[in-house]
Amino acid sequence: MEHTVTTARAAEIISIGYEGLRSYLKRGLLGSSGALAPFVHRDSPAPDLSAVRAKWKRFGFVDLCLMRLAKQLIDLGLSFDQANSIVSREDIRDVFERENITGATLLASPPYYDFIVFRGDDLNHLSTRLAEVGDVAVLVQLDRVRDYVQSEFERDITRQSNGEV
């Protein structure tokens, strides 16, 4: 079974207050990425999935990576909507589900709502793309986001096994 953390612990890992995280979740943080679409009878109205995680009480590893990435993007000047449009995408979720993302870097251009993920051989093109973007660019190393969340998870697991929690 996958290790999960409470909303309070998730807020600590993300480096945001508990109420701030709850507010982001109510605003639709992560959209419906990674969540299975519910089965709906053809004569029933479709449920609103915009704030699918607002009632969640536990969060897994990839959710935390995406939330921490969103927080970093917001801290670096992107709006909530811009950051959420990036972290809500399945292809960004897929990056954190991979085993090896060494060097993976996200380049966002806030004025244009544009972003690119560079990894592997694509990293050779990062400097060229930075020159094209100009003065307004945000870079986040995705492997560092993942490593931080992984270290926090390992700390939690160690504390649980020692009976500290």
Side-chain angles (χ1 to χ4, degrees), residues 32-77:
S32 61
S33 76
L36 294 174
F39 292 107
V40 179
H41 188 272
R42 66 179 176 173
D43 295 328
S44 299
D48 178 17
L49 298 177
S50 62
V52 72
R53 288 178 179 75
K55 295 180 182 174
W56 284 21
K57 294 184 179 6
R58 299 200 64 86
F59 301 93
F61 177 75
V62 175
D63 290 324
L64 291 171
C65 289
L66 293 168
M67 290 176 189
R68 182 144 172 100
L69 174 59
K71 169 73 165 66
Q72 287 182 337
L73 291 171
I74 291 167
D75 288 350
L76 291 169

Side-chain angles (χ1 to χ4, degrees), residues 3-6 8-9 12-13 58 152-165:
H3 178 71
T4 60
V5 297
T6 64
R9 181 64 179 128
E12 290 174 8
I13 292 171
R58 299 200 64 86
E152 291 296 309
F153 255 52
E154 289 170 1
R155 194 173 95 186
D156 283 358
I157 292 168
T158 302
R159 288 175 54 206
Q160 284 179 349
S161 66
N162 291 339
E164 296 176 29
V165 179

